[in-house]
Amino acid sequence: MPYTIESIAQIINARRVGTLETNVDWLLTDSRSLSFPEETLFFALTTKRNRGARYIPDLYERGVRNFVLTQEDFNELEKTNCQFVASNFLIVANPLKAIQKLAEQHREKFQIPVIGITGSNGKTIVKEWLHKLLSPDRIVVRSPRSYNSQIGVPLSVWQMNKEAELAIFEAGISEMGEMRALQNMIKPTIGILTNIGGAHQENFFSLQEKCMEKLSLFKDCDVVIYNADNELISMCVAKSMLTAREIAWSCKDAERPLYISKIQKKEDHTVISYRYLEMDNTFCIPFIDDASIENSLNCLAACLYLMMPADQITERMVRLEPVAMRLEVKEGKRNCVLINDSYNSDLASLDIALDFLVRRSETKGLQRTLILSDILETGQSTTTLYRKVAQLVESRGINKIIGVGPEISSCAARFDMEKYFFHTTEELMASQVLKSLRDEVILIKGARSFKFDLVSDELELKVHETILEVNLGAMVANLNHYRSMLHPETKMVCMVKASAYGAGSYEIAKTLQEHRVDYLAVAVADEGVELRKAGITASIIIMDPELTAFKTMFDYKLEPEVYNFHLLDALVKAAEKEGMTNFPVHIKLDTGMHRLGFSEKEIPLLIRRLKNQNAIIPRSVFSHFVGSDSPQFDTFTRGQIEIFERASKILQEAFSHKILRHICNTAGIERFPEAQFDMVRLGIGLYGISPIDNAIINNVSTLKTTILQIRDVPEEDTVGYSRKGRLSRPSRIAAIPIGYADGLNRHLGCGNAYCLVNGEKAPYVGNICMDVCMIDVTNIDCQEGDSVIIFGDKLPITVLSDVLETIPYEVLTGISTRVKRVYYQD
Ligand SMILES: *Cc1c(COP(=O)(O)O)cnc(C)c1O
């Protein structure tokens, strides 16, 4: 349903500059996600950290002609020398409000049922399951992935089209007052409140207030669905006096509209009996966990309200599948990178996954390949669907497509690139095509029935069964957590030294660069070179520049730290020899650590030396705290800040250009907000650990392995070297492929620590060996091949560092490089 640019200008009440007549089909808020420039309208949103308007010249280059922006941004653009011919600028007071207004107007055009889902957990699963349950009978539009925010919801609502017969949208809020805008856009007719938990608690006065805010989504609903057994929710529903009908479900109260009379958990499924409108029925789901049961009951209520026959509900419930939200990045054979996306296929999620693929391939200079199955249950005709797929794939510069399934194969002619088509996954596996892939970034995206895990198994590089899983989404959440403590203008250096505290520097650096951190910092030049070769373009500081690596630093634009006159003189000499001018360097001051750095009284001489040359230029000046994590040293820390303040001021006053000042590490950001100066340096906090109390913020890394063998060992026998593990009872002992050569410290052995097997504590028995160790699984239900968590969400790394009487930094950075790193993004 394209809109003319003029009609949009009217809807959002914009002043239009430009006369180009075009239609708009796509809304864009993130310049990196561009697919169809000509039909795109870009909203230049200003966030605390970024100005979308910065990307307008680049987007114009790439063919975008329509922009929404503020008057100030427009004035700024006019000052640049860019020529924007044949384009439209829609000037508004607030671009975010504008995109929301447009979504509201778009929503108004539809008289169809709209399901709005909110709650702390389970929104996305309920949405996906409802789609699965309802879409065979009607055309359903839904939010892609978990697009549920102030920006995500307008983009979701924009997906409503003429064919749509039902829509399902999620609404997520992190602060009070945010729901109103979401309600105006979604205007749900059916409301589902999944549950209320403690997520994002910090901004809420109380759980009750949070619940009331969430319920405001339902103010004009015809019906609301919720768990009546949750007292808080029941109470809030009563208090909020909604006019809607209620389908409250309850396992206790037979008087409630939907009474759940029985829940029987079996080995791998659950049988649920219910009474609705005086009728008793039963259905079964292939899950046994409580969260899945709750999610299925919310779905049940919605299906009943939409008058789906009970036998159809039963038939479809049993076929529900887990919802995979992750985009997983893995190392493939023959220098390939694999991106696995088993998320239910649809065009919007294909678009998101392709975007992710492009970003991973851009910098490494790898070819782009897509392995795609038939996209099921979209409600569109085969020809229309694959015409759109072909356009999308082409616009993303995909070099090769491998299609699997009868439908996509029938549209082979539409794809104008290297291509292979197969009717089934077995045919693909039997061909030579997978073996021919090399130096490619490969997106593997298939509906579950196509069993694409066979394909990724075939392509995956397998080295070792022990892996470190790194959650990039959690890292970004940590980044934002610390950003929220800063003044908007404070810049940030992210420390990716020591292989990003063990997490692996490239993927981490890449993700940080995407989130526009100002600087990355590594220890030595070689680490910086590796990042540059892999395509990282962000500014990089070298904390420990070797005298032998100056030329490398100039060649790769790696900015060294300078901490004494010896280094300074050598650097200036090398820079002059290479004909450099104004090469940026970072001056380190010693304010108490007494490790490296210029002292306060050396500043005048430092200034004289710096002024005597123009090969290098101080870009920043900094110092490092000794004990900012502990109140015990607060007087000392304040002393450091005072010295730094004074010394750096003297340096700054000697130069006319701005020299960035920074002293805070993670603990400093948390405890000395007044010492932010121009920039801060975030380290351990990025990786999820607060240095103050070792609390885990959002866990980033999980070290896991699998059980190789289990055996029964009699009482009094011993396990492992030197007969250290003597058994006091008949035991079941499991061997796992991780040892001290992988970074599992030998002092954790002999019962000093434990790992988790199926959620239960399994102590290490006997000495830890080089590559293997043994654990006691006597009372744990487990078998060979089961996964074992060394540390992760449920077993914080700090438990291990405490046993070892060290800091988590040491445990993290001690994980050997032979442990494969696997990255994923929620
Ligand atoms: C490692 C490092 C940091 C980061 O410290 P965290 O405690 O991990 O936040 C900051 N500044 C310098 C100079 C560092 O070497």
Side-chain angles (χ1 to χ4, degrees):
M1 299 173 93
Y3 284 72
T4 64
I5 192 74
E6 182 53 35
S7 65
I8 291 183
Q10 282 174 11
I11 291 171
I12 64 175
N13 206 357
R15 183 165 77 79
R16 176 172 166 197
V17 178
T19 53
L20 177 71
E21 291 309 326
T22 50
N23 286 338
V24 169
D25 214 357
W26 297 75
L27 306 185
L28 185 72
T29 57
D30 180 336
S31 65
R32 299 164 302 181
S33 305
L34 181 65
S35 304
F36 299 105
E38 294 75 17
E39 295 102 72
T40 289
L41 175 60
F42 177 69
F43 286 78
L45 303 183
T46 296
T47 61
K48 210 168 144 194
R49 284 275 145 193
N50 206 3
R51 278 182 48 242
R54 281 168 51 189
Y55 304 96
I56 291 178
D58 173 50
L59 285 168
Y60 182 84
E61 284 280 293
R62 290 156 68 193
V64 181
R65 291 295 175 266
N66 300 300
F67 306 94
V68 176
L69 74 181
T70 60
Q71 183 69 50
E72 286 114 284
D73 282 333
F74 185 69
N75 296 346
E76 286 289 315
L77 270 188
E78 286 200 311
K79 283 190 215 144
T80 65
N81 286 327
C82 306
Q83 291 293 320
F84 298 99
V85 285
S87 46
N88 292 303
F89 289 93
L90 305 187
I91 299 168
V92 297
N94 181 335
L96 177 64
K97 289 259 155 49
I99 194 172
Q100 295 181 339
K101 181 85 192 157
L102 184 56
E104 275 170 38
Q105 289 292 311
H106 187 62
R107 168 68 184 90
E108 293 284 309
K109 294 190 173 179
F110 300 90
Q111 299 299 326
I112 58 175
V114 173
I115 305 180
I117 308 174
T118 190
S120 307
N121 299 308
K123 294 188 287 292
T124 305
I125 295 175
V126 170
K127 179 195 71 193
E128 290 300 323
W129 282 359
L130 277 174
H131 176 260
K132 198 90 192 156
L133 293 164
L134 299 169
S135 64
D137 311 315
R138 37 175 105 48
I139 296 176
V140 179
V141 168
R142 68 197 197 276
S143 331
R145 291 196 172 262
S146 44
Y147 274 33
N148 61 28
S149 66
Q150 298 290 313
I151 300 172
V153 167
L155 297 175
S156 297
V157 170
W158 187 250
Q159 312 224 344
M160 294 178 88
N161 56 39
K162 282 201 294 292
E163 287 86 37
E165 293 165 317
L166 181 124
I168 316 177
F169 301 122
E170 292 177 38
I173 51 170
S174 51
E175 280 175 43
M176 290 301 288
E178 285 188 340
M179 194 55 99
R180 175 196 278 273
L182 303 187
Q183 197 272 340
N184 284 337
M185 290 183 276
I186 299 177
K187 284 271 158 63
T189 59
I190 303 173
I192 302 180
L193 180 62
T194 58
N195 55 30
I196 294 288
H200 305 294
Q201 187 64 54
E202 63 280 1
N203 293 328
F204 284 92
F205 179 62
S206 69
L207 275 180
Q208 182 183 334
E209 195 181 12
K210 176 168 160 182
C211 190
M212 295 300 286
E213 170 82 13
K214 293 206 170 174
L215 284 171
S216 68
L217 176 64
F218 305 148
K219 109 174 134 62
D220 300 324
C221 277
D222 300 329
V223 64
V224 292
I225 292 168
Y226 64 93
N227 174 0
D229 295 339
N230 182 314
E231 283 172 22
L232 172 72
I233 297 179
S234 280
M235 183 189 80
C236 290
V237 171
K239 235 177 104 176
S240 61
M241 300 198 291
L242 297 166
T243 51
R245 182 180 150 194
E246 289 177 20
I247 304 190
W249 53 265
S250 169
C251 306
K252 298 176 189 155
D253 181 356
E255 299 299 307
R256 290 291 191 165
L258 174 56
Y259 174 51
I260 310 302
S261 47
K262 201 164 178 192
I263 296 180
Q264 295 166 273
K265 291 192 188 179
K266 303 286 165 81
E267 187 163 324
D268 60 354
H269 64 278
T270 305
V271 182
I272 301 175
S273 308
Y274 63 95
R275 168 171 293 181
Y276 181 69
L277 301 180
E278 318 273 300
M279 302 276 279
D280 287 300
N281 279 295
T282 297
F283 69 96
C284 166
I285 52 167
F287 304 95
I288 53 172
D289 61 292
D290 293 340
S292 294
I293 294 170
E294 188 169 323
N295 291 335
S296 76
L297 293 175
N298 283 317
C299 291
L300 171 70
C303 291
L304 290 170
Y305 175 75
L306 291 166
M307 294 194 284
M308 183 186 287
D311 53 340
Q312 220 168 60
I313 294 180
T314 308
E315 186 191 311
R316 289 179 190 169
M317 281 283 186
V318 74
R319 286 190 274 133
L320 290 178
E321 291 169 343
V323 178
M325 297 299 301
R326 297 164 151 197
L327 278 169
E328 270 186 345
V329 188
K330 288 182 176 163
E331 206 176 330
K333 291 176 183 158
R334 298 173 292 273
N335 194 32
C336 288
V337 175
L338 307 182
I339 302 171
N340 244 322
D341 183 7
S342 51
Y343 181 75
N344 285 347
S345 288
D346 61 67
L347 270 184
S349 77
L350 176 63
D351 192 26
I352 295 169
L354 284 173
D355 180 33
F356 191 78
L357 165 87
V358 169
R359 295 189 204 179
R360 299 287 131 173
S361 61
E362 248 165 10
T363 48
K364 290 188 165 177
L366 299 174
Q367 294 279 303
R368 297 168 186 171
T369 300
L370 169 64
I371 307 183
L372 180 66
S373 78
D374 279 356
I375 301 179
L376 307 174
E377 295 164 14
T378 57
Q380 303 191 20
S381 77
T382 308
T383 31
T384 319
L385 177 63
Y386 294 101
R387 179 171 46 79
K388 288 190 189 159
V389 170
Q391 282 172 357
L392 202 57
V393 166
E394 197 154 324
S395 76
R396 296 294 191 173
I398 302 299
N399 307 95
K400 188 189 294 180
I401 180 157
I402 301 172
V404 182
E407 294 190 359
I408 194 171
S409 298
S410 74
C411 299
R414 298 202 174 270
F415 294 89
D416 188 15
M417 60 198 69
E418 190 181 342
K419 57 189 171 186
Y420 305 89
F421 289 89
F422 302 91
H423 272 84
T424 63
T425 307
E426 290 71 31
E427 281 176 35
L428 166 63
M429 300 297 293
S431 75
Q432 291 300 308
V433 171
L434 295 181
K435 298 197 175 57
S436 71
L437 305 179
R438 65 172 60 241
D439 304 322
E440 299 169 34
V441 180
I442 307 167
L443 171 62
I444 305 171
K445 187 163 172 61
R448 202 170 293 268
S449 56
F450 284 88
K451 302 209 172 62
F452 269 14
D453 32 336
L454 293 172
V455 176
S456 51
D457 265 8
E458 167 65 31
L459 293 173
E460 193 181 331
L461 186 70
K462 291 188 192 66
V463 276
H464 200 284
E465 280 146 287
T466 299
I467 58 167
L468 185 74
E469 247 186 25
V470 180
N471 181 346
L472 295 173
M475 188 206 51
V476 171
N478 294 330
L479 175 69
N480 291 334
H481 172 77
Y482 283 98
R483 273 182 169 173
S484 72
M485 298 179 191
L486 303 177
H487 305 299
E489 64 281 5
T490 308
K491 294 181 189 304
M492 190 184 268
V493 189
C494 281
M495 310 305 290
V496 296
K497 60 190 180 189
S499 221
Y501 289 46
S505 41
Y506 170 69
E507 288 288 343
I508 297 286
K510 170 81 185 154
T511 308
L512 290 169
Q513 173 169 299
E514 277 171 12
H515 287 83
R516 311 200 166 98
V517 306
D518 303 282
Y519 276 97
L520 301 172
V522 295
V524 294
D526 281 349
E527 289 180 284
V529 172
E530 249 172 64
L531 290 180
R532 285 280 184 257
K533 282 190 174 157
I536 298 295
T537 52
S539 301
I540 298 179
I541 303 178
I542 307 293
M543 307 301 289
D544 189 9
E546 311 98 309
L547 299 175
T548 50
F550 290 148
K551 173 132 177 17
T552 312
M553 288 182 235
F554 302 144
D555 289 348
Y556 288 92
K557 195 157 191 308
L558 303 170
E559 307 175 11
E561 142 184 345
V562 177
Y563 51 79
N564 67 11
F565 289 110
H566 178 64
L567 178 60
L568 178 69
D569 293 342
L571 184 63
V572 169
K573 204 164 140 202
E576 282 172 346
K577 182 163 156 240
E578 296 298 326
M580 310 297 305
T581 50
N582 291 336
F583 194 81
V585 305
H586 303 267
I587 305 291
K588 183 175 216 170
L589 305 182
D590 180 9
T591 55
M593 176 79 96
H594 300 330
R595 185 169 67 176
L596 299 170
F598 293 97
S599 65
E600 189 180 1
K601 61 179 193 305
E602 288 173 321
I603 303 280
L605 182 58
L606 174 63
I607 291 171
R608 232 176 310 141
R609 292 275 176 92
L610 285 170
K611 292 224 146 196
N612 248 330
Q613 55 83 47
N614 67 354
I616 64 171
I617 186 166
R619 179 79 189 88
S620 85
V621 53
F622 72 103
S623 189
H624 197 30
F625 285 137
V626 171
S628 54
D629 55 329
S630 170
Q632 173 188 359
F633 306 117
D634 281 0
T635 314
F636 189 84
T637 303
R638 290 206 188 87
Q640 283 195 280
I641 297 172
E642 224 168 87
I643 298 172
F644 179 67
E645 175 114 53
R646 227 168 31 227
S648 60
K649 184 154 172 266
I650 299 172
L651 186 71
Q652 173 65 80
E653 281 170 356
F655 293 87
S656 56
H657 72 278
K658 170 90 189 151
I659 302 177
L660 300 170
R661 303 201 285 172
H662 47 115
I663 189 163
C664 281
N665 52 0
T666 305
I669 297 172
E670 289 194 42
R671 299 195 58 247
F672 295 91
E674 69 278 13
Q676 283 174 22
F677 294 96
D678 304 306
M679 187 148 85
V680 295
R681 300 185 304 273
L682 182 63
I684 194 80
L686 197 52
Y687 307 98
I689 301 164
S690 162
I692 316 269
D693 52 4
N694 278 349
I696 303 292
I697 310 157
N698 294 287
N699 184 50
V700 172
S701 295
T702 301
L703 182 58
K704 51 160 74 164
T705 185
T706 49
I707 297 180
L708 293 178
Q709 184 178 1
I710 300 182
R711 64 166 72 239
D712 290 312
V713 185
E715 187 174 351
E716 287 300 314
D717 267 21
T718 62
V719 174
Y721 284 119
S722 310
R723 306 204 66 193
K724 284 282 190 206
R726 188 171 296 280
L727 302 175
S728 59
R729 57 170 185 187
S731 305
R732 277 180 96 212
I733 300 297
I736 56 176
I738 180 168
Y740 56 77
D742 298 292
L744 187 69
N745 194 302
R746 203 163 159 279
H747 294 110
L748 296 171
C750 297
N752 289 329
Y754 60 87
C755 53
L756 293 181
V757 177
N758 298 329
E760 312 234 13
K761 293 179 183 178
Y764 296 104
V765 187
N767 278 324
I768 288 174
C769 317
M770 187 186 287
D771 309 308
V772 181
C773 67
M774 276 69 80
I775 55 178
D776 184 341
V777 294
T778 307
N779 293 316
I780 301 176
D781 183 13
C782 62
Q783 53 193 13
E784 291 170 2
D786 279 2
S787 124
V788 179
I789 306 292
I790 307 298
F791 62 77
D793 293 357
K794 302 262 158 58
L795 172 48
I797 189 168
T798 45
V799 171
L800 305 188
S801 57
D802 286 350
V803 171
L804 295 168
E805 293 182 19
T806 181
I807 47 178
Y809 299 69
E810 188 181 352
V811 183
L812 273 180
T813 55
I815 300 160
S816 147
T817 52
R818 82 176 186 189
V819 174
K820 187 162 86 163
R821 270 69 173 165
V822 176
Y823 300 91
Y824 69 92
Q825 186 138 310
D826 281 328

